[in-house]
Amino acid sequence: MRSGGQVNRFEPRVEVAVARTRAEVARLHKMLVRGGLVSWTSGVLSARVPDSELFVIKPGGLDHNELSPEKMVLVDLDGRVVTGTPGSELPPSRGVAVHAHLYRSSDRIGAVVHTHSPYATAFALRGEPVPCISTGVADEFGGDVPVVAYVGPDDRVGDAIARTLTASEATAVLVERHGPYTVGADARSAVRAAVLLEEAARAVQLARAGLPEGSALTALEPDEIHAIRERRLRADAERAAESAAADSYPTSRPGAARPSGGTGSRTTPIPSTVPDNDVRTTQ
């Protein structure tokens, strides 16, 4: 239910989902700080509350050190604060309309990250895509990270980002004169994309600096990119299937155990290159 009015109580399953989403968003914001992607009050992560028309977003104007689950702001898919809930006395981040537009545009988007990480933002300021010159970029993004023209108000920016994401099936875009946005099926995958985008942009800048005058970096061939990306998507699908099978395996009977390959989570695991306790510094 979309509502900007007073809410006294959700269904128990929604209350649990909201609490979990608040905790996840607060925790992963700290990882953005540790990864060097945000500073002071800049940058924002939001995440959709599963099986609802709600999402949780960072409040505006608070230092990242002040963030906690109860200070996260719960809003509906029109970007309106759900009053009477923890954090509702705080304003949501200024970009809430962009986030709301992206959630309305596609059910596959479960989380959105916006940062001003220096290397990716440098590409955005130049209006230049991050080129797919490495297997890592091909694996994570499936090609060049595209540029979206800056078109003014948040609702128009959100529409431009959504159209680009839909057309390219990308998980990251660079908004010209502004900075990067990444999306994912869940908060961890959106943060992962933000971290790897900054690493990719930094690697390109460093590689260019070491080139002989007049030389240029060579992009991967489209067939190579496609093969690498397809291999990654197949691996993700296999992990998701194993996880779902483990969740559905009957454990109520005596002696029953989960299959050894499962994780017990319905969320596609994030590859171990960016574990929860080790976001790599990009500066």
Side-chain angles (χ1 to χ4, degrees), residues 2 48 55 77-78 97-112 155 157-167 170 183:
R2 297 187 189 181
R48 190 192 294 265
F55 66 97
L77 294 188
D78 291 319
V98 174
H99 291 240
H101 192 107
L102 293 176
Y103 291 123
R104 293 196 305 270
S105 74
S106 174
D107 290 340
R108 78 181 179 94
I109 296 177
V112 180
D155 55 344
V157 171
D159 182 61
I161 294 172
R163 284 188 282 107
T164 300
L165 291 173
T166 300
V183 300

Side-chain angles (χ1 to χ4, degrees), residues 86-272:
S88 61
E89 72 282 2
L90 299 169
S93 290
R94 285 184 298 174
V96 64
V98 174
H99 291 240
H101 192 107
L102 293 176
Y103 291 123
R104 293 196 305 270
S105 74
S106 174
D107 290 340
R108 78 181 179 94
I109 296 177
V112 180
V113 174
H114 170 52
T115 76
H116 294 282
S117 56
Y119 286 94
T121 299
F123 275 87
L125 295 178
R126 292 196 299 265
E128 178 188 359
V130 174
C132 188
I133 62 170
S134 72
T135 56
V137 175
D139 179 85
E140 183 67 26
F141 302 111
D144 295 352
V145 176
V147 173
V148 174
Y150 182 77
V151 289
D154 283 350
D155 55 344
R156 294 177 61 193
V157 171
D159 182 61
I161 294 172
R163 284 188 282 107
T164 300
L165 291 173
T166 300
S168 64
E169 297 187 358
T171 57
V173 299
L174 303 171
V175 177
E176 196 173 18
R177 294 163 42 198
H178 189 43
Y181 281 81
T182 61
V183 300
D186 52 48
R188 284 189 68 213
S189 57
V191 169
R192 169 189 164 84
V195 171
L196 296 185
L197 173 59
E198 178 66 2
E199 286 193 349
R202 180 173 182 264
V204 172
Q205 296 282 62
L206 293 175
R208 284 176 174 170
L211 286 174
E213 187 175 352
S215 299
L217 298 172
T218 302
L220 293 173
E221 293 294 330
D223 287 349
E224 293 179 283
I225 295 171
H226 178 75
I228 292 168
R229 181 61 175 166
E230 285 298 305
R231 185 167 61 244
R232 160 68 184 277
L233 293 177
R234 283 197 302 271
D236 285 351
E238 289 170 2
R239 282 193 294 268
E242 290 173 358
S243 179
D247 276 355
S248 63
Y249 192 79
T251 57
S252 57
R253 55 188 175 83
R258 294 184 185 274
S260 59
T263 64
S265 169
R266 293 187 184 276
T267 301
T268 302
I270 303 301
S272 60

Side-chain angles (χ1 to χ4, degrees), residues 62-84:
L62 286 189
D63 185 279
H64 292 276
N65 292 327
E66 302 177 75
L67 298 180
S68 61
E70 61 273 11
K71 289 182 179 177
M72 298 297 109
V73 184
L74 184 67
V75 299
D76 65 21
L77 294 188
D78 291 319
R80 298 176 300 191
V81 174
V82 180
T83 60

